[in-house]
Amino acid sequence: MLRFNMVLLLIVICCALGTVTSQHKARKLFQALEAEQERARQLDVEYDQLQLELSTWATHPRIEKIARERLKMVVPPPVRVSAAAAAAGGR
């Protein structure tokens, strides 16, 4: 009977250690999950900031200003087409 009780005690101790180990692993995995979710939120914020910056850099007035100042570009004068040339080109 003593031997049977010792075997049962050993089984109970092993089950308790297994439970503690699995809970510890679960907590570690949960912490890792939380850290990755926080990183994903940070990346979303950074992406939104980059999208805003991209839209700022690509605005029409900014591009036109750079074209005029740096590249010395000008808007071409409108082309005047005579009525005869317009009628001949429309065929």
Side-chain angles (χ1 to χ4, degrees), residues 7-62:
V7 169
L8 287 178
L9 180 64
L10 183 61
I11 291 172
V12 168
I13 290 174
C14 288
C15 288
L17 288 175
T19 302
V20 169
T21 302
S22 66
Q23 286 180 348
H24 179 71
K25 286 180 182 179
R27 287 184 181 131
K28 286 289 190 183
L29 288 173
F30 183 73
Q31 287 175 342
L33 175 65
E34 288 289 318
E36 292 302 319
Q37 287 175 339
E38 177 62 28
R39 179 70 178 137
R41 284 189 289 272
Q42 290 173 350
L43 288 174
D44 282 340
V45 169
E46 184 179 351
Y47 177 76
D48 290 342
Q49 289 172 346
L50 289 172
Q51 289 292 96
L52 180 62
E53 184 178 345
L54 179 65
S55 67
T56 301
W57 283 97
T59 59
H60 182 73
R62 184 181 180 281

